[in-house]
Every structure is written in C-alpha cells, then in structure tokens.
Amino acid sequence: MSNFDLSEILGNPEYVAMLLLGIKMTFVVAIGSWTLAMTLALLLLGLRYAPGPVGNAFVTAYVSYHRNVPTLVQLLLWYFGIFTLMPDPVTFWLNDHNAEAIFAVIGLGLCQAAYFSEDLRSGMRAVSPGQMEAARALGHSYVSAMRFVMVPQGSRNALPALINHSVSLFKNSSLAVAIGVAELTYAVKEIENLSFRTFESYLLVTVLYLVFSLMIMALGAYVARRADPVRSGRA
Amino acid sequence: MNTIAPSKNSPMIALTGVHKSYGNYEVLKGIDAEVARGEVVVICGPSGSGKSTLIRTVNRLEEIGSGSISCDGNNIHQPMPAKELNRLRSRIGFVFQSFNLFPHLSAIDNIAMSPMRVKGLQRDVAYAKATKLLERVGLADKANAFPAQLSGGQQQRVAIARALAMEPPVMLFDEPTSALDPEMVGEVLSVMKGLAADGMTMMCVTHEMGFARDVADRVWFIDQGQIVESARPEDFFSRPQTQRAQRFLSELRH
C-alpha cells in the first residue's frame, strides 16, 4: 500500500460516507456562522452610527478583540472556557444538541461579525458625502437618505471585501476540528487514521476545500455582477 | 407656526444680517439682500469670498451664526422639528457643482425617486412627470442610462430635472457649470435660461459672465463675506462701482 492510490479512499463506501457527513457539517458550521456574523455585523454597524459615544466605543472594543486574538484561541475560549462556566441545565441541553457545533458557530460567527461590520463600514465611508447632501437637499429624512441612497451604494462598495471574508470564514470552519466538531477536516483525519493513506487523505481534503472556496467566489462574483446596475444589463 | 402667508409682493428669499464663521474665520459678515419672486440673481466674486457658503445657507446645508433667512415666507434657520426642515428643503431646488446624481439609479429613477419617497407620489404619476422633465432638459432618450454612462453636461441636466421634480418655487445653483468641459457648458446654461424664461426664481453662483449678462436680473458681487455690489448686469459689467469689482472683472477678461 505504498503507491499513490486514491481509490483506497474513494472506493470505500464507509470512508465516502464519513466524507459526506464531514462536508455536511462543514457547511452547517459555515452557513450558521455566516448568518450569525452578518446579523451581528448589521447590529454593530447600527451601533456605530447611533448617536453618542457609547455605541461607537463598544464596537471599537468588539472589533479590536475579535480581530486581534487568533480565531483558534477564541474558539478554545468558548468551548473549554465559557462553556464550563455555564449553569448545569444549559450545559446538559447543549451537550444534547451538539455543543461542539454550536460553539463553533458562535465563536466563528462572533469573530467574523467584526470583519463583516468593518467591511460594511468602509463601504459606507466610500460613498461620497455629496450623496447624503443631495438626498437631504431633496427633502429626504436621514433615515430615508440612508435607505434609498447611502446603504444601496455602501453595501455594493462592501461586496468584494464581504466575499473575501466569506471565503475566509468557510476555510476557518476547519478550525472547529480543535474543539471536536465532526466537520470535513475532522472526517479526513479519521479516514487517515483508519486507512493510513496520509497523502491521499490530505490531497483529497485540499482539493475539496479548493473547489468549495472557488464555488463561493464564483457565487460572490455572480452576486456582484447582479448588484452592478450598469453591468447587469438593466441599463 | 412661523409661516407668513407669502404675498405676491413679498420677496422669495430674504437674507437679514446673516453671519457665519468657521472657528475664528468669518465667512459671511452680515449679508442683507432679497430675491424677488421670479427674479434671477447671479452671485459672483473671487474664490473664497463666501458665495458657495452663502447659497448653501439658503436651504440650510450650512448653519448660520446669526441673522435670519426666509424662503417663500418660511424662516429657514429657526429651531424646528427635523420633519419640518425636510419639508422646507423639498421646496428649494438645489443643483451642485459636482452633480451628485445617485449612481445606483438610472436617469429616470434619479428623477422619480424623491417625489415618490418624500412626497408620496404614485409611481406612475412620478414616472410620467420624470419623463416630461427629461424631455424638458433634452434627454428623453437617456431615461434608462446610468449616471456613469452620461457626459458631465448630461448628468447636470438630469440633476436639474431631479431638483425640478419636487416642484420647488425656487432653484439654487452652486457653480453648476464649473466641473464641465467647455463644450458642455452651453447645454446646461440653455436649460437654465429656459427655466428663467418660465419665471423660475433662481439664485446662481457662477463664473459664466455671459449667462449673468443675458439672463440675470441682478448681479451680487461678493468679496470677503460681504455683498459689495448689487446691480443690474448691464450696470455691473459696464460701470462697476468698487475697485474690487473692477479688479475682479478685469481679471476675468484675461
């Protein structure tokens, strides 16, 4: 069994089933944490724009922590730190509901929210101040100017950065292996242990991550093209 | 309410003792002036004289330090709820030097959006009106073009149509042709001439002295935050009363 032979893995129904389960869990973690991150990012952005210094200071601290501590450490803090401080009924409930996956979603989602909110903020800042003036001069309220003039442009500006960070988030889902989430990387480590096909295992998972990441980027490019009024052919 | 029933004889815009400072720097040093209904006033003066600041105080894009400004009988700078200020602003058309069209909207959407979102006009009514306005500025064939696909002159004409869509009784122009290539200045000025001929009250900061000569009822020459001369254009251009205006005009001719 020394020669390169991918069929040792792909020809084994048991390994294929493990792979598929891993892929499924990777997408559950990635989509769950993406949704959480985007929701939080919008809330953080709202806090940024709220009057008074408190909201802004909170978001600055939030972003600072989540961008300057390694994502892996954040995950470990959640699962091995905060989880153990929770009251027993909560711990029992979480253990019954795949606590590892839940904390992976929370940890990755909270971390990525910091990046997403900064992407959105820089997108908003890239909108020319003249746009707000023009809207106000036409009689729009602040909220109406934000809704119909600033946010449509700001979110479009933010798209490339959001797509990049979405791919990062997808790849970072592999960090969940450290807290025992049975996602793709975890499944491949298991297969490697059982089959002793080390190179084949990691080649396979490399190709899978590459393909999925490229698919997400293609999806992002499609969304970006649709969002561009001129290039989408609506003109 | 502050609203004085506007009579035919009351001025459209009245500025009384308007002062404004940025920190220690006084931009406007007591402006007293009126624009009558249907009058076209051209504001000129050297750069940094305060003319852009002045026109931007009329719809309160800039706050003032002291004094008062009324427009169509409304005291613009008194304390008021945000809603009331929005309503007053919607009644004052404003055209920017840099157009400021909404780049994510087509020409016709730029024009129809605010009547729908601010005034609550029905969609079909707003679009019918926007189509008429595009015809009026000579761009009926560009309804679905986006700002990035239009020349500067075309963008500025759409911007004028966008302001007109709110049906304001007064239009303010802040150097509307200064960002344009020379060959596009004419098309914008001719739209403005048409507006003036229709009896629109206009206040216009511009360096286009030909426009001032042909269209303006009155020229205000501003220097160092004060209206130094206010005269009919034929008088202003042939017999400027102050040395500063004489120097300004002679430099324009170079």
Side-chain angles (χ1 to χ4, degrees), chain A residues 7 20 28 30 33-34 36 44 49 64 66 76 87 107 115 122 142 168 178 194 203 213 218 220:
Chain A
S7 65
L20 290 176
V28 166
S33 52
W34 190 93
L36 177 65
L44 290 170
Y49 282 94
S64 191
H66 286 96
L76 296 176
Y115 289 92
S122 62
Y142 177 78
S168 294
L194 296 171
L203 178 71
S213 291

Short mmCIF file of all heavy atoms in Angstrom, two decimals, chain A residues 7 20 28 30 33-34 36 44 49 64 66 76 87 107 115 122 142 168 178 194 203 213 218 220:
data_model
loop_
_atom_site.label_atom_id
_atom_site.label_comp_id
_atom_site.label_asym_id
_atom_site.label_seq_id
_atom_site.Cartn_x
_atom_site.Cartn_y
_atom_site.Cartn_z
N SER A 7 -8.22 5.47 -4.90
CA SER A 7 -9.40 4.59 -4.83
C SER A 7 -9.46 3.86 -3.49
O SER A 7 -10.52 3.39 -3.09
CB SER A 7 -9.37 3.58 -5.99
OG SER A 7 -8.26 2.72 -5.82
N LEU A 20 -18.84 12.58 3.32
CA LEU A 20 -20.08 13.33 3.05
C LEU A 20 -20.62 13.95 4.33
O LEU A 20 -21.07 15.10 4.33
CB LEU A 20 -21.12 12.41 2.40
CG LEU A 20 -20.79 11.99 0.96
CD1 LEU A 20 -21.84 11.00 0.44
CD2 LEU A 20 -20.73 13.21 0.04
N VAL A 28 -22.85 23.23 7.52
CA VAL A 28 -23.72 23.66 8.63
C VAL A 28 -23.00 24.74 9.45
O VAL A 28 -23.56 25.80 9.74
CB VAL A 28 -24.11 22.46 9.52
CG1 VAL A 28 -24.71 22.94 10.84
CG2 VAL A 28 -25.09 21.56 8.79
N ALA A 30 -20.38 26.60 8.53
CA ALA A 30 -20.07 27.79 7.74
C ALA A 30 -21.31 28.65 7.53
O ALA A 30 -21.28 29.87 7.73
CB ALA A 30 -19.46 27.39 6.40
N SER A 33 -22.56 30.13 10.94
CA SER A 33 -21.76 31.23 11.48
C SER A 33 -21.80 32.43 10.53
O SER A 33 -21.75 33.58 10.99
CB SER A 33 -20.31 30.79 11.73
OG SER A 33 -19.78 30.19 10.59
N TRP A 34 -21.95 32.20 9.23
CA TRP A 34 -22.08 33.33 8.29
C TRP A 34 -23.34 34.13 8.61
O TRP A 34 -23.32 35.36 8.66
CB TRP A 34 -22.14 32.82 6.85
CG TRP A 34 -22.01 33.91 5.83
CD1 TRP A 34 -20.87 34.35 5.24
CD2 TRP A 34 -23.08 34.73 5.30
NE1 TRP A 34 -21.14 35.39 4.38
CE2 TRP A 34 -22.49 35.64 4.39
CE3 TRP A 34 -24.45 34.79 5.51
CZ2 TRP A 34 -23.23 36.59 3.69
CZ3 TRP A 34 -25.20 35.74 4.81
CH2 TRP A 34 -24.59 36.62 3.92
N LEU A 36 -25.05 34.21 11.44
CA LEU A 36 -24.88 34.90 12.72
C LEU A 36 -23.99 36.13 12.54
O LEU A 36 -24.29 37.22 13.04
CB LEU A 36 -24.27 33.93 13.74
CG LEU A 36 -23.95 34.53 15.13
CD1 LEU A 36 -25.24 34.95 15.84
CD2 LEU A 36 -23.18 33.53 15.98
N LEU A 44 -23.91 45.79 14.73
CA LEU A 44 -22.71 46.56 15.09
C LEU A 44 -22.64 47.85 14.28
O LEU A 44 -22.29 48.91 14.80
CB LEU A 44 -21.45 45.73 14.86
CG LEU A 44 -21.23 44.54 15.81
CD1 LEU A 44 -20.10 43.66 15.31
CD2 LEU A 44 -20.92 45.03 17.22
N TYR A 49 -23.35 53.91 14.06
CA TYR A 49 -23.99 55.13 13.58
C TYR A 49 -24.93 55.73 14.62
O TYR A 49 -25.46 56.81 14.42
CB TYR A 49 -24.76 54.86 12.27
CG TYR A 49 -23.83 54.78 11.08
CD1 TYR A 49 -23.33 53.57 10.63
CD2 TYR A 49 -23.45 55.95 10.42
CE1 TYR A 49 -22.48 53.51 9.55
CE2 TYR A 49 -22.59 55.89 9.34
CZ TYR A 49 -22.11 54.66 8.91
OH TYR A 49 -21.25 54.62 7.85
N SER A 64 -11.80 45.22 17.96
CA SER A 64 -10.41 45.10 18.36
C SER A 64 -10.13 43.70 18.93
O SER A 64 -9.14 43.05 18.57
CB SER A 64 -10.11 46.19 19.38
OG SER A 64 -8.75 46.27 19.60
N HIS A 66 -11.90 40.87 18.51
CA HIS A 66 -12.12 39.74 17.59
C HIS A 66 -11.14 39.71 16.43
O HIS A 66 -10.94 38.68 15.82
CB HIS A 66 -13.57 39.77 17.08
CG HIS A 66 -14.55 39.31 18.12
ND1 HIS A 66 -15.23 40.19 18.92
CD2 HIS A 66 -14.92 38.08 18.52
CE1 HIS A 66 -16.00 39.51 19.76
NE2 HIS A 66 -15.83 38.23 19.54
N LEU A 76 -11.32 28.14 21.35
CA LEU A 76 -10.94 27.38 22.55
C LEU A 76 -11.51 28.03 23.79
O LEU A 76 -11.98 27.36 24.71
CB LEU A 76 -9.41 27.29 22.64
CG LEU A 76 -8.71 26.53 21.50
CD1 LEU A 76 -7.20 26.59 21.65
CD2 LEU A 76 -9.18 25.07 21.46
N PRO A 87 -24.32 27.34 33.71
CA PRO A 87 -25.07 26.52 34.68
C PRO A 87 -25.40 25.14 34.09
O PRO A 87 -25.55 24.99 32.88
CB PRO A 87 -26.35 27.35 34.92
CG PRO A 87 -26.40 28.36 33.84
CD PRO A 87 -25.01 28.57 33.33
N GLY A 107 -18.50 30.97 18.06
CA GLY A 107 -17.14 31.52 18.04
C GLY A 107 -16.78 32.11 16.69
O GLY A 107 -16.32 33.25 16.59
N TYR A 115 -15.23 41.43 11.27
CA TYR A 115 -14.72 41.72 9.92
C TYR A 115 -15.83 42.25 9.02
O TYR A 115 -15.66 43.23 8.29
CB TYR A 115 -14.10 40.45 9.31
CG TYR A 115 -12.80 40.05 9.96
CD1 TYR A 115 -12.79 39.16 11.02
CD2 TYR A 115 -11.60 40.58 9.52
CE1 TYR A 115 -11.60 38.80 11.63
CE2 TYR A 115 -10.40 40.22 10.11
CZ TYR A 115 -10.40 39.33 11.17
OH TYR A 115 -9.23 38.97 11.77
N SER A 122 -16.55 50.44 5.91
CA SER A 122 -15.69 51.08 4.93
C SER A 122 -16.45 51.27 3.61
O SER A 122 -16.23 52.24 2.90
CB SER A 122 -14.39 50.31 4.73
OG SER A 122 -14.66 49.03 4.24
N TYR A 142 -33.02 61.72 7.33
CA TYR A 142 -31.77 60.98 7.46
C TYR A 142 -32.01 59.49 7.17
O TYR A 142 -31.26 58.87 6.40
CB TYR A 142 -31.21 61.16 8.88
CG TYR A 142 -29.96 60.37 9.16
CD1 TYR A 142 -28.73 60.81 8.69
CD2 TYR A 142 -30.01 59.18 9.88
CE1 TYR A 142 -27.58 60.08 8.93
CE2 TYR A 142 -28.87 58.44 10.13
CZ TYR A 142 -27.65 58.90 9.66
OH TYR A 142 -26.51 58.17 9.90
N SER A 168 -12.93 33.33 3.67
CA SER A 168 -12.11 33.11 4.88
C SER A 168 -12.89 32.35 5.93
O SER A 168 -12.38 31.42 6.56
CB SER A 168 -11.70 34.44 5.51
OG SER A 168 -10.84 35.12 4.68
N ALA A 178 -10.50 21.62 16.27
CA ALA A 178 -9.81 21.71 17.55
C ALA A 178 -10.75 21.54 18.74
O ALA A 178 -10.30 21.20 19.84
CB ALA A 178 -9.08 23.06 17.66
N LEU A 194 -7.64 5.56 9.88
CA LEU A 194 -8.14 4.21 9.59
C LEU A 194 -7.44 3.60 8.38
O LEU A 194 -7.19 2.40 8.33
CB LEU A 194 -9.65 4.25 9.35
CG LEU A 194 -10.50 4.66 10.56
CD1 LEU A 194 -11.95 4.88 10.14
CD2 LEU A 194 -10.42 3.60 11.65
N LEU A 203 -4.54 15.26 0.32
CA LEU A 203 -4.73 15.76 -1.05
C LEU A 203 -6.23 15.93 -1.34
O LEU A 203 -6.67 16.95 -1.87
CB LEU A 203 -4.11 14.80 -2.07
CG LEU A 203 -4.32 15.24 -3.52
CD1 LEU A 203 -3.47 16.46 -3.82
CD2 LEU A 203 -3.99 14.11 -4.50
N SER A 213 -14.25 26.62 -2.06
CA SER A 213 -13.90 28.04 -1.98
C SER A 213 -14.10 28.73 -3.32
O SER A 213 -14.63 29.85 -3.40
CB SER A 213 -12.45 28.21 -1.52
OG SER A 213 -12.32 27.82 -0.18
N ALA A 218 -17.19 32.20 -7.00
CA ALA A 218 -17.99 32.33 -8.22
C ALA A 218 -19.38 32.87 -7.89
O ALA A 218 -19.91 33.75 -8.58
CB ALA A 218 -18.08 30.99 -8.93
N GLY A 220 -20.06 34.71 -5.34
CA GLY A 220 -19.86 36.12 -5.00
C GLY A 220 -19.74 36.99 -6.24
O GLY A 220 -20.33 38.07 -6.31
#
